[in-house]
Amino acid sequence: MKIKTQFLPLRKGLLKEEFRYFFKEVNKRRPRSLLEKLRWVTLGYHYNWDSKKYSADHYTPFPSDLAFLSEQVATACGFQGFRAEAGILNYYRLDSTLGIHVDRSELDHSKPLLSFSFGQSAIFLLGGLKRDEAPTPMFMHSGDIMVMSGFSRLLNHAVPRVLPSPEGESLPCCLETLLPADLPRDSVVEPCSVEDWQVCASYLKTARVNMTVRQVLAVGQDFPLEPTEENKRDVTTGFCHLDDETSQVKRARLNTDC
């Protein structure tokens, strides 16, 4: 596990210049496949992007292996009894961004937010309690884990840029490592087929996947009662999202208060 300590110098006007160049290139890209259009998937308690709430009615079992990993990381950081109840997987292409926001929808803010990164590197901006406070930029590399807890749990943050590999389309070295032939019986790591890994590897050469895991409820806490119309929402909505080609620039101004 790596705790983030690698910071970037914040040069005035740097991000503005990069955005201007970056989005000028968007329309020159080739048409994207269905996989390349995937933007996010929710796990466990499924986040409603319209109401910015979780609900007991919108739930599927949280993946046990990811829950185990998250609980082990939380315990190592001093958070005993952490329960992985909700997750959001963000799929970033090289021109994707995540607008400034605060993760405040969980009902228990005393538990940490865990963030796992895979694939290409990105710039992460950690701001303050107010949106206009100057942020601290830092790198997020493949295999990095960020734990937002205590004071930082409710800080504004954003991802303004995904950084392509200097070597061209290539996997980060941590993903090139082969799994050992004999894994322990209780290992949460499982080998996948060559065909499945080729799909994943090809995708991650030009993309970044970030998983954020949260505990939504405190021990013994229940969701507040929702209005009748809210409970009638179709539970199949909001589980995943595919972007079209025309929404790329608009996403730079996206403010997802998740």
Side-chain angles (χ1 to χ4, degrees):
M1 180 180 68
K2 292 189 282 185
I3 304 299
K4 301 311 300 172
T5 56
Q6 189 173 12
F7 299 105
L8 289 169
L10 185 61
R11 180 164 60 84
K12 186 176 181 181
L14 171 63
L15 296 180
K16 188 175 182 180
E17 293 171 8
E18 288 187 342
F19 274 133
R20 186 182 298 114
Y21 169 77
F22 207 64
F23 289 110
K24 187 194 291 186
E25 300 298 312
V26 169
N27 293 330
K28 298 180 181 179
R29 304 291 173 89
R30 60 177 174 76
R32 296 182 173 182
S33 67
L34 193 61
L35 176 61
E36 291 173 322
K37 291 183 179 182
L38 184 61
R39 285 295 171 262
W40 50 259
V41 173
T42 55
L43 306 171
Y45 289 115
H46 298 285
Y47 187 70
N48 187 316
W49 300 92
D50 295 324
S51 66
K52 295 180 171 57
K53 294 180 180 179
Y54 297 97
S55 167
D57 297 329
H58 297 187
Y59 177 82
T60 52
F62 196 93
S64 59
D65 49 358
L66 180 56
F68 177 79
L69 173 63
S70 301
E71 290 158 8
Q72 294 297 306
V73 170
T75 299
C77 293
F79 295 95
Q80 305 290 335
F82 176 83
R83 296 180 303 172
E85 295 178 326
I88 299 178
L89 277 69
N90 283 307
Y91 295 83
Y92 295 84
R93 300 299 298 174
L94 294 179
D95 54 359
S96 299
T97 65
L98 181 64
I100 186 170
H101 68 283
V102 178
D103 296 281
R104 66 171 81 253
S105 297
E106 294 73 34
L107 303 185
D108 182 10
H109 297 152
S110 67
K111 301 301 184 191
L113 183 149
L114 310 180
S115 171
F116 303 85
S117 294
F118 302 96
Q120 302 304 303
S121 299
I123 297 175
F124 180 86
L125 297 180
L126 182 62
L129 294 174
K130 298 180 180 179
R131 289 172 62 90
D132 59 355
E133 291 185 47
T136 298
M138 61 188 80
F139 285 120
M140 291 289 287
H141 299 301
S142 187
D144 284 350
I145 300 174
M146 175 175 284
V147 178
M148 297 183 69
S149 62
F151 177 76
S152 70
R153 178 62 179 79
L154 295 176
L155 294 183
N156 283 279
H157 53 279
V159 178
R161 180 74 186 269
V162 178
L163 303 171
S165 171
E167 291 78 27
E169 296 186 4
S170 62
L171 276 178
C173 59
C174 65
L175 296 178
E176 294 280 13
T177 305
L178 297 176
L179 291 175
D182 297 321
L183 291 169
R185 285 189 177 182
D186 58 349
S187 174
V188 296
V189 179
E190 296 181 1
C192 65
S193 68
V194 174
E195 293 78 10
D196 286 346
W197 176 241
Q198 286 177 342
V199 172
C200 293
S202 176
Y203 179 79
L204 291 175
K205 286 179 180 179
T206 57
R208 172 180 182 252
V209 175
N210 177 253
M211 301 188 302
T212 55
V213 180
R214 310 109 186 277
Q215 178 169 329
V216 177
L217 300 169
V219 177
Q221 187 178 25
D222 292 320
F223 288 102
L225 293 177
E226 297 288 344
T228 303
E229 289 300 317
E230 181 69 17
N231 289 335
K232 290 182 179 180
R233 285 180 179 271
D234 183 356
V235 299
T236 63
T237 62
F239 288 10
C240 67
H241 177 66
L242 300 173
D243 235 0
D244 58 35
E245 293 297 320
T246 62
S247 63
Q248 299 305 310
V249 176
K250 184 178 179 181
R251 291 189 79 250
R253 298 186 291 273
L254 182 64
N255 177 23
T256 52
D257 188 8
C258 52

